[in-house]
Every structure is written in structure tokens, then in C-alpha cells.
Amino acid sequence: MDALVSAGLEDFLAAAPRPQRLVMGLLLALARRPRGAALLARMPLAEQAAQATLALGRYDAPAVARPLGWDAAAVVARGRELRRAEGRP
Amino acid sequence: MTDVLEADFCVIGAGAGGAVTAAELAEAGARVVVLEQGPSHDADEFSARPPEMLARLYRDGGQTVTLGAPPILLPLGRGVGGTTLVNSGTCFRTPSHVLERWAEEFGLELDETSLRPCFERVERSLSVAEVTPELAGANAAVARRGAERLGWSHGYLRRNARGCVGSGVCVFGCPTSAKQHTGITYIPRALAAGARLFTGADAREILVRGGRARGVLARMPSGRTLEVRAPTVIVACGTVHTPLLLRRSRLPDDSAQRGRNLALHPATAAFALMDEPVDMARGVPQSFYVDEFAGEGIMFEGVAGPPAYAAMSLPLTGEAHARAMADYRRLAQFGLMVSDESRGRVGTLAGRPVIRYSLCERDLAKFRHGLARLEELFLAAGARQVHLPLPAGVRPADATARDLKLMAFHPLGTARAHARAGHGVVDGELAHHGLSGVYVADGSVVPSALGVNPQLTIMALATRLAFHLLGTSVPDRAVDPRAPDAQPDDEEATCRS
């Protein structure tokens, strides 16, 4: 897996209902290729869905998110510490 | 093979409505069985990573989409806690003008006075308190500055949170368990009082004989069938799935309203590039509102999240998207929600829910007006650039329904309450018309859009139902300060920075 793409993207795509999963798989395949992207550009709704999904995966990757000030691991660690210290569920 | 259980009450669903009903009934000594289709979630597994959490905490990975113009993304929670696990925690009581409309139009005997003890009881149980400006963060400060400069009505939101530190991921599983969703409040109370909870239990049929409820059949993860024999069944599967279960159970529908009247509170959001650092995910994402246009059915509420969330919702593509995301730390975001007059319906295709909903002209006009005002809000706050959720070159006044990029979080109305059997699925006590022992306690009974987030309304109605079933009134501490309560209210109830 590319370090600049979140591993969680696969889980996200797999969780979609089957028809959407198939359509999104096709759209992402197009979006990742220059000629496919040009084709998608003629279908704004489809392009928007594909680009949004790719962006979700890209900006979730720690290597991309950390320079933008977001460290998910630190947020989770702080949460765990607080829950344990205060006996929260 | 079928396993059989006996109970006084079988509650289907452990979200806002089901969990509340189950806890109140169990604490009164009733034998309660709760059937929840999804899993139980452990806060130790919350990663603050949007794609992973969407897949785990949401039905269909949060990718439920309505069919119509425009298609609308409708994320729904799945599991113990239901959508309360993944909502922003905003708590509004039902507006008085909405209650008045329900009385006039639907014959429902609900008013502020009679519901007050229900709201107060829920608010104490969930530690509802107003967000502090410090905890609200810089994203809220941007909206506040704009509203103050324009002289628009605004305020900090009330939320169900205890010991919140502003992790910024309410909708992806609170890592501090500060958000008081029903999975860590009402459900533990129900279990402590002896209720039995079954997760992974797919309720297939409400059993009815001779016009009376007899119980529920559920398919269990093991492949076995569980029959819960109970004279009273409370359906709380949520607005999308409740009408489907009622239909699958072949319950009467003389009103022909089952699955209809779907309201959604369609919503969208705009981004703004500010001069100062915003770091939108630091603080409570939904902490501030602007209700200047609430009378027109337009509400502005905060939204925010980590870069992955922002990148997914930023209405740009290609280089423009990359440039805007490079400035993520200076991006602010605010949402616009419409109290809709459009109505959709829920049906099935090959066993899956199909949700049809198209925006009517009046709601489209609200979006046109609201987006123009949202841009005005950001510009008044000093935004360098505003990114509206519209295609390039389309101004709000010219937007068509298909130009809008919409989401919705508040499905309501598909088993609407109406005093008259010919007009609603349940009556004013949430009892299924034409049957004995079947009740509904989720957003599906809410007969119209509220214009505000609905979780408190659903929970108050569920509280009212539980005490109705118990044959007692909701304890009213305004009348009797010694009235029993689930949570002492001298405990810390406010968020802390």
C-alpha cells in the first residue's frame, strides 16, 4: 500500500452496498488514469464522487495529515489516557 | 433451530429511541429484551481515522445515498448507540412552533409543558450543557465574528458531553468517551437493571395474532432464530428501517402512510480561507449556530473535521483542491441545514432499502438564499476566499437542484404519528393504529421536519412512551424535587477545555 494512501480506504470501499462498490471501483479506476480522468471530467457528479473518495484516502494517510497539523494517533492516545484515568467506558 | 425467550417488552434497536425506552422500562422492574442488528463498539477501537471509522461505525460505510434530484448522502449509525454514536451531539428541544403545528395538523397532544419533564430527564441523563467558547475552537470563532459583525442571531450549542477535550472527531467515534451516546448511557443502565441485549440480532418479523403483538422473530449471527415472546413490542430501528420491518411483518397500513413523508433536513457546507490559523479539527466540530434565518427554515451550524474529512467534502477538484488543502490549517467550514418541505419515501429492492427523495422548489429556494447568506457570513468574518458547494461559475441564485452537493443526517417521518388512523401509522401515544401492543419509538414517528437536530426530540418521545407503558407519569422535579432520577445533576455536566 502506498504510504500516501490510507489503508482504511479499502475498508471504506468494501463497506459500501454492492452496486455502489462496483460503480465506485470503476470510477476510481478511471480517475487514476489520465485518459480516464479526462473522460470523468465530462461527468461532474461521477468525477466529484471519485475525487472525494480518493481525497478521503489520501488525506487520511499519516504522512499527509501530520504536516497539516492532524495526528490521529496522538488524539487517540490522549483519549485512551483520559478514559483510563477517569474510568470512562 | 429456534431459541425462545420470554419478556414483558421487546425493544428492537439500541439507538436514541430504543435505548431510552429499554432503560426506563427495565429500571421500573420490567423484563426487557433489546435486539440490536449491529455490533457493540469499544472506544478502544476508535482510531480517529475517517475511512476506517466510516466503515466500522456506519451502515454501508456511511455511503447510503438517496435516489432523486439531487442524490443525497445519508450516513446512518450502526450498532449499540445507533446514530447517537456518530452524531455531533447537538441537543435542541422541539421548537414550540413545531409542537403547535403537530397539534393543529396531526392532532398530537404534545406541548412544551407536558414534554418538559421528559426533556429534563433526558438532559440530566446525558449531561447536556452549552459548549464553552474555549472548547468551541477557532472554527466557531470565525462564524461568531461574522454573525456579530452582521448582527445576526447566534449562540453556542448545547451538547450531550462530559469531560470533552475537543478531539474533533465526534462523528468518527469519540476517543475520550466524552460524548454521552446511548451506548454508554442508557444501554448500561438498562443492562444494570436486568435487560438483556442481543447484538447482531436481525429482527425479521413482529409476531401478531388476533390483532395483538406476540413477540419478535430475529435471525442471529449463529444462523439460529431467536423468538422473543412479549406482549409489547417497541420498534426503534430508525426512520429508514422501521417502515420496512412493519411492512415485512404484514402489519395493517390503513393510512397508506407507511414509508412515506420522509423528511431529511438536507444540508451542505461551505469552506473559507482565513488569514489566521483555524485548525478546524481542534475543538468541538459542531459547537456554534446562527439561527438568524431559522424562521425561513434555514439553520447554520458548525461542521469540521480532520484533513481526510475536509478533503472529502471540499467542493473543488484537481489543482484547486490541492491548493486549498495545502492551506487546511487556515480553512474554516460551516454548515447549512434546511427544514425541508420536500417529502420522500422508503421502499425496498432485492431486500435492500431504496430511499427516494427529490428537492422541491421551495427547499431549493432556501438553499439558494442560505448559500448566499453563508458566503456573506464568511466574508463578514474576514474570509479571503469562500468555497461554496456549487459547480465552478454557478452563483447561489442560479443554482439548480442538481448543482447542490447535499448530505442529510436527520431522516424523519416514515411511520408518522397522527391522531387519526387514516392519516398516520401510529397514534399520539406512538401505538400502531389498528393493533394492540406494537409501538414505534424512533425518528420515523416525527411527523414533520423540526428545523433542528432531532435526537433530543426522539429521546423525549421515547421517555414519554416508556412511562405511558408503565402507566405512570414522568417524574417531574419541578413539581417534586425528590422525584427519582437516573443521574444526580450535581456532577460535572459541562464540557471542559
Side-chain angles (χ1 to χ4, degrees), chain A residues 12 20 80 83 86 88-89, chain B residues 44 63 175-177 496:
Chain A
F12 172 74
Q20 275 166 258
R80 283 198 180 131
R83 278 189 286 116
E86 300 183 10
R88 299 185 203 173
Chain B
D44 269 336
Q63 297 164 78
T176 60
S177 290
R496 78 172 175 218

Side-chain angles (χ1 to χ4, degrees), chain B residues 174 333 375 380 444 476:
Chain B
C174 178
Q333 190 188 18
E375 184 175 39
S444 68
D476 186 350

Side-chain angles (χ1 to χ4, degrees), chain B residues 161-397:
Chain B
R162 291 168 69 88
C164 174
V165 292
S167 301
V169 284
C170 305
V171 301
F172 302 115
C174 178
T176 60
S177 290
K179 188 172 68 180
Q180 300 294 287
H181 64 85
T182 58
I184 60 170
T185 52
Y186 280 98
I187 286 296
R189 278 174 50 188
L191 297 179
R196 299 185 66 181
L197 168 68
F198 293 87
T199 55
D202 184 13
R204 301 307 302 167
E205 185 181 353
I206 299 164
L207 303 172
V208 174
R209 202 164 54 242
R212 284 201 61 87
R214 302 291 170 180
V216 178
L217 281 182
R219 191 185 298 147
M220 304 303 287
S222 62
R224 295 173 72 92
T225 298
L226 175 65
E227 179 180 347
V228 182
R229 292 180 182 160
T232 306
V233 173
I234 295 131
V235 185
C237 310
T239 297
V240 172
H241 291 83
T242 281
L244 305 185
L245 175 60
L246 299 179
R247 182 177 302 154
R248 201 160 63 229
S249 304
R250 298 177 297 280
L251 303 192
D253 179 26
D254 294 344
S255 68
Q257 296 300 316
R258 187 169 61 204
R260 294 174 179 255
N261 307 303
L262 175 70
L264 292 174
H265 288 167
T268 190
F271 288 79
L273 179 64
M274 309 305 295
D275 284 329
E276 74 273 24
V278 175
D279 283 322
M280 66 163 77
R282 292 189 187 170
V284 176
Q286 193 162 89
S287 54
F288 193 78
Y289 68 93
V290 176
D291 61 349
E292 178 70 18
F293 307 101
E296 299 167 46
I298 298 166
M299 186 77 162
F300 298 141
E301 290 182 354
V303 282
Y309 154 81
M312 180 174 60
S313 44
L314 188 64
L316 298 169
T317 54
E319 278 302 307
H321 185 279
R323 274 198 305 275
M325 281 306 297
D327 282 323
Y328 166 78
R329 302 194 76 159
R330 293 194 293 133
L331 279 181
Q333 190 188 18
F334 222 66
L336 151 61
M337 180 173 84
V338 157
S339 183
D340 48 338
E341 299 167 68
S342 315
R343 290 294 175 265
R345 63 170 65 180
V346 176
T348 52
L349 181 65
R352 287 193 56 83
V354 176
I355 309 164
R356 297 178 192 281
Y357 181 98
S358 287
L359 209 62
C360 70
E361 273 301 318
R362 282 202 294 270
D363 288 338
L364 175 59
K366 291 175 199 169
F367 274 107
R368 288 175 178 148
H369 182 55
L371 284 171
R373 299 289 77 78
L374 195 51
E375 184 175 39
E376 193 180 351
L377 180 79
F378 275 132
L379 292 174
R384 280 177 171 269
Q385 204 174 358
V386 179
H387 303 297
L388 292 176
L390 294 171
V394 176
R395 298 299 305 156

Side-chain angles (χ1 to χ4, degrees), chain B residues 124-139:
Chain B
R124 281 195 298 273
S125 296
L126 299 183
S127 304
V128 175
E130 188 174 293
V131 183
T132 62
E134 298 75 26
L135 196 60
N139 194 53

